[in-house]
Amino acid sequence: MKKINFNRHIIFLLILAFTSISIAQSDYKVVQDFKKDCEKIEHQIKKANSADEMILILENIEQLRTRYSIHSDLLNKALYPEKYDQTIENLNNLFTLREQDFNSVEALKVEVSDLNQRVDTLSVMNNELQASLKEIQLLFEKSNKETAKLKDIISDLKIALHKRDVLVMGMIDSLMPPVMREKPMLSSEDKEQILSDAEKDNILVNVKTTISDNIKYLDITSLQPGDLTEIQEQQLDFADTWAKIVPRLAEVYSEDKNQTKELLEIDSLFTVWTAAIETEAWQTIKEEFAAKGIPLNDFSDGEEFTNSINQYIENEKMSIEVVPEEKAKHTFEQFTVQTWKSEIEPKWTPFLIENGMLAEQSKNTIEENIDVWRSELYPSNWWMWVAIPGFLLAGLALLLKRLKKGARYYDIPGK
Amino acid sequence: MRKSLFLIFAGLLIYTACSSLTLQSANFAWPIESVLPVNSDGNVLDQRYSIEFNTRPLFFEEYQDSSAYMDKEIRLIRDHQGYYYMTANEFKNVYVFQAEEGKLILENKIAISESGIVKPAFNQRNTYIELIDANNKILSLTHQGIEGGML
């Protein structure tokens, strides 16, 4: 019994001592500790990198609220301008905002992951299609059946390439939302986030593969101006999307020489892509002439193209005297009617002029040369139209004169 | 008799004219003390309560050295009656001041410790100011002095 009483005394003394310690606490220190704890949690919220960390922070806010609730009267009086409840509410609001950021990021991650899978699938599909295309081009003659098959494959490849272009553009957009692009300076957290996402999604590799495949597509196909215009528009869209993020990526990769080199490679690939579209146009025009049996000197720009055609016309004009007339006229018809007037002039010259690949003046020069060539092959007989009516009029005048003489002779007896 | 009535009446008239308007039950208490760093001129400024004054005379009074304020901070609190309590680390006294036009007038100098108060802190309590130190010693202060002694 005595022992129990002794224990009770000990406990009482301990409680008393503990109470004294807790009483001897500076209100100022309580307030400062509360402020520090709040700042710590604010910092944690701003620095949080994952949803898991956010769960811990929520627990910290709850612990803070519980720990300081016994001081709520003091804190409500001492804190200025915000009170205790308002401070806790502010932390909760900050937490909710940051949580929304994470939810958006998570949603974007899922979207990007889905896009990645689709890009991979399309890349495999593209490779297969390209392989089939090459195989068919090498192995078969271009019979009607095979040509149709070839066209189907080219069409499928075009659709697949376009789909992947759109997906990769979506990835680029997801990597750097407009809000981040518009920031005057990226924070170190932003940079880390972009770096991690770009590496995870293989952004640079995907962009390079996409451009290379588009260049390959131009290389292995023969396209019409409509197709090229469509490809040009896609290329411009892609280049525009890329241009929006590349300064930010350069900022992020400023200390990584390899990645900076990759960015430069991508820039040069865009230039190659633009040049490939022009090359493809000239190549197809050459094929159009060759298909009609018209041998032209090689050309790869507007000036060479004009010179090549003018040279051809000049050669044909000079050979008019030495080849049979029928053959010369057939060559003229083949060039002018079958090729220039029906294919090149209506389909290609607007595209070439619109894209600055051919000057309007050069086209006029070609047309003038064609007219001269025509006039040499089919000389104009305008003088006959003058001479025949002249002869007729002269004959008529002579006839009238004779008739008049005859009439005067008959009048004499009557007088 | 007439003269007496006249004097009473005149007295009442003078008293009424001299008494000013008074608002009662004013409470000047700050919820917590302010810890104010002393700047190179010896001034302290509390932005929340808009009070600024020079502490050099205070440090001179405590240490007999007017440059002792350098790199120091003072702890300041106002009680419900409007008296200001000031002390600093290793001060032997708590100084109680009353505000007047453009100055603080010393009301009381309360001796606390011969060896100096280690890490003092003021807490606002209902009718007094609580002074604690690093050894958890608690004193209840009013502008008149220590009220209850050490706990």
Side-chain angles (χ1 to χ4, degrees):
Chain A
M1 189 66 187
K2 273 183 180 178
K3 197 177 178 185
I4 291 169
N5 278 338
F6 177 74
N7 285 344
R8 276 183 183 166
H9 282 299
I10 293 289
I11 291 167
F12 177 75
L13 284 171
L14 281 172
I15 290 170
L16 194 69
F18 176 75
T19 315
S20 316
I21 290 164
S22 61
I23 286 169
Q25 193 178 14
S26 160
D27 292 348
Y28 177 80
K29 190 168 182 306
V30 171
V31 174
Q32 293 304 314
D33 287 349
F34 178 75
K35 283 181 181 172
K36 271 183 204 162
D37 289 349
C38 287
E39 276 171 19
K40 208 184 286 175
I41 290 176
E42 263 184 44
H43 186 72
Q44 285 172 350
I45 292 172
K46 284 174 189 166
K47 287 274 178 187
N49 281 323
S50 66
D52 292 342
E53 280 183 44
M54 292 302 282
I55 293 168
L56 286 175
I57 291 167
L58 189 64
E59 283 171 13
N60 288 347
I61 296 174
E62 189 48 34
Q63 277 175 11
L64 177 91
R65 200 185 60 76
T66 317
R67 197 185 317 141
Y68 286 96
S69 61
I70 52 165
H71 300 294
S72 59
D73 284 344
L74 168 72
L75 291 167
N76 273 331
K77 282 181 198 164
L79 290 174
Y80 178 82
E82 261 102 27
K83 307 288 179 200
Y84 165 75
D85 297 326
Q86 184 62 46
T87 309
I88 299 282
E89 197 182 320
N90 288 351
L91 281 179
N92 280 323
N93 290 342
L94 194 65
F95 176 86
T96 309
L97 280 174
R98 188 76 177 129
E99 199 178 34
Q100 281 169 2
D101 286 350
F102 272 101
N103 291 340
S104 313
V105 169
E106 288 300 318
L108 278 172
K109 274 183 186 167
V110 171
E111 197 182 313
V112 168
S113 159
D114 181 42
L115 285 171
N116 254 331
Q117 278 182 354
R118 286 162 69 188
V119 167
D120 290 345
T121 312
L122 280 167
S123 292
V124 171
M125 209 167 109
N126 284 348
N127 290 338
E128 283 169 5
L129 285 167
Q130 281 179 355
S132 320
L133 188 61
K134 274 184 184 164
E135 205 177 317
I136 286 172
Q137 279 178 332
L138 287 171
L139 293 176
F140 297 99
E141 293 295 323
K142 287 184 181 176
S143 68
N144 285 340
K145 196 180 167 189
E146 279 117 25
T147 307
K149 196 174 173 185
L150 196 64
K151 277 183 180 169
D152 287 347
I153 288 177
I154 289 172
S155 167
D156 288 350
L157 181 59
K158 185 180 154 188
I159 293 166
L161 275 173
H162 182 56
K163 274 187 185 171
R164 197 182 53 182
D165 285 358
V166 172
L167 286 175
V168 173
M169 280 196 277
M171 281 170 73
I172 295 171
D173 261 341
S174 310
L175 176 71
M176 211 171 294
V179 180
M180 201 178 280
R181 286 178 215 156
E182 285 156 15
K183 282 186 180 178
M185 282 289 284
L186 289 179
S187 65
S188 55
E189 293 90 55
D190 291 339
K191 283 183 183 176
E192 276 169 26
Q193 184 69 47
I194 292 169
L195 205 63
S196 139
D197 287 352
E199 277 168 20
K200 187 165 63 64
D201 302 333
N202 266 337
I203 287 285
L204 299 188
V205 173
N206 275 321
V207 171
K208 272 172 76 176
T209 312
T210 302
I211 301 173
S212 301
D213 285 354
N214 274 292
I215 295 169
K216 263 191 235 167
Y217 173 72
L218 286 167
D219 197 31
I220 57 177
T221 50
S222 182
L223 300 168
Q224 292 301 303
D227 301 323
L228 285 177
T229 307
E230 207 179 310
I231 289 173
Q232 259 184 336
E233 281 167 9
Q234 285 169 21
Q235 195 252 357
L236 284 174
D237 269 357
F238 205 130
D240 190 42
T241 309
W242 180 247
K244 280 178 195 162
I245 71 151
V246 78
R248 289 306 196 193
L249 276 182
E251 201 180 318
V252 170
Y253 288 131
S254 59
E255 285 167 13
D256 187 335
K257 282 184 183 171
N258 287 336
Q259 302 290 26
T260 309
K261 200 177 153 197
E262 294 259 297
L263 290 180
L264 290 174
E265 269 179 43
I266 290 172
D267 279 347
S268 60
L269 274 175
F270 272 111
T271 314
V272 173
W273 191 3
T274 310
I277 294 172
E278 291 192 5
T279 309
E280 174 58 22
W282 295 123
Q283 187 58 38
T284 309
I285 292 171
K286 264 185 259 178
E287 284 168 11
E288 297 265 9
F289 280 107
K292 295 283 165 34
I294 299 164
L296 291 178
N297 292 337
D298 198 20
F299 53 85
S300 59
D301 61 36
E303 198 182 339
E304 285 178 7
F305 170 71
T306 312
N307 291 341
S308 178
I309 288 184
N310 287 340
Q311 185 62 53
Y312 177 80
I313 293 172
E314 198 57 36
N315 291 345
E316 288 304 314
K317 271 168 31 189
M318 284 167 74
S319 66
I320 287 173
E321 299 296 326
V322 290
V323 297
E325 190 183 346
E326 280 304 307
K327 195 185 172 199
K329 284 184 177 172
H330 175 74
T331 306
F332 177 79
E333 292 295 316
Q334 194 72 10
F335 179 88
T336 309
V337 181
Q338 304 293 326
T339 313
W340 181 263
K341 284 290 175 193
S342 64
E343 300 286 337
I344 308 298
E345 202 258 335
K347 283 196 321 199
W348 282 102
T349 52
F351 174 83
L352 296 175
I353 291 169
E354 202 174 300
N355 287 289
M357 294 164 71
L358 180 72
E360 184 87 41
Q361 183 58 41
S362 302
K363 185 205 157 194
N364 293 339
T365 310
I366 292 170
E367 299 267 354
E368 282 163 17
N369 282 339
I370 290 171
D371 286 343
V372 173
W373 183 14
R374 179 188 287 108
S375 67
E376 288 188 16
L377 260 180
Y378 303 95
S380 175
N381 294 326
W382 61 271
W383 56 271
M384 287 177 71
W385 294 100
V386 178
I388 292 168
F391 279 122
L392 286 172
L393 283 171
L396 193 63
L398 196 66
L399 189 65
L400 284 171
K401 200 174 176 184
R402 285 197 174 179
L403 284 172
K404 206 174 178 182
K405 267 186 183 176
R408 198 185 295 156
Y409 178 78
Y410 281 112
D411 282 348
I412 295 165
K415 267 187 181 177
Chain B
M1 181 64 183
R2 266 182 152 186
K3 199 175 179 180
S4 303
L5 278 173
F6 174 78
L7 283 172
I8 291 165
F9 181 74
L12 277 172
L13 206 65
I14 290 164
Y15 174 76
T16 312
C18 289
S19 67
S20 56
L21 178 67
T22 305
L23 304 179
Q24 295 287 354
S25 304
N27 185 355
F28 299 98
W30 293 357
I32 55 163
E33 64 178 337
S34 292
V35 180
L36 307 172
V38 184
N39 73 11
S40 56
D41 299 325
N43 287 341
V44 289
L45 167 67
D46 188 330
Q47 288 187 324
R48 179 171 173 184
Y49 298 109
S50 297
I51 181 169
E52 184 177 12
F53 53 88
N54 191 284
T55 60
R56 274 191 286 196
L58 178 74
F59 281 92
F60 184 79
E61 175 70 19
E62 181 70 21
Y63 296 117
Q64 280 72 53
D65 175 5
S66 60
S67 63
Y69 64 85
M70 299 295 279
D71 301 323
K72 294 274 172 43
E73 56 185 21
I74 65 152
R75 308 184 86 92
L76 174 69
I77 195 164
R78 197 174 189 194
D79 72 4
H80 65 286
Q81 287 178 295
Y83 291 102
Y84 292 94
Y85 295 69
M86 281 179 224
T87 192
N89 190 30
E90 293 173 354
F91 265 30
K92 293 173 182 171
N93 307 290
V94 168
Y95 296 84
V96 183
F97 289 91
Q98 200 171 11
E100 283 207 7
E101 279 180 20
K103 56 196 167 190
L104 292 169
I105 305 287
L106 184 68
E107 172 75 18
N108 195 1
K109 179 177 168 183
I110 308 168
I112 304 293
S113 161
E114 274 304 310
S115 55
I117 320 164
V118 182
K119 293 185 183 172
F122 290 125
N123 290 330
Q124 184 67 249
R125 296 294 174 250
N126 283 340
T127 53
Y128 57 91
I129 296 295
E130 185 178 81
L131 173 73
I132 59 173
D133 68 4
N135 301 318
N136 288 319
K137 284 181 181 170
I138 305 171
L139 288 176
S140 303
L141 308 177
T142 66
H143 69 280
Q144 288 161 331
I146 301 170
E147 207 177 44
M150 301 282 252
L151 279 180

